[in-house]
Amino acid sequence: MSKSIPNVDWANQLESVIRQFVKEKLELNEKWAGRKLRGFAEAHEALQRMFEERYN
């Protein structure tokens, strides 16, 4: 076996680590998707008005 080709166990471990990483990031995205940062609620109306003035 060539040393440049990783073995199957190593590839499976790498895949497992990547899957876990992606799963954790997706869970965090779901957790934070519906939240607004402090102060954004007050600024949202002004930002919306500025957007409409510019693009309408």
Side-chain angles (χ1 to χ4, degrees), residues 6-38:
N7 64 36
V8 175
D9 291 335
W10 180 86
N12 287 336
Q13 288 175 353
L14 180 61
E15 179 185 16
S16 176
V17 168
I18 291 171
R19 285 180 184 271
Q20 183 63 31
F21 177 81
V22 170
K23 179 183 175 192
E24 290 172 3
K25 298 310 168 204
L26 290 173
E27 289 171 355
L28 280 174
N29 283 346
E30 288 178 19
K31 176 182 175 182
W32 288 95
R35 297 185 182 186
K36 290 184 181 178
L37 297 177
R38 208 174 313 161

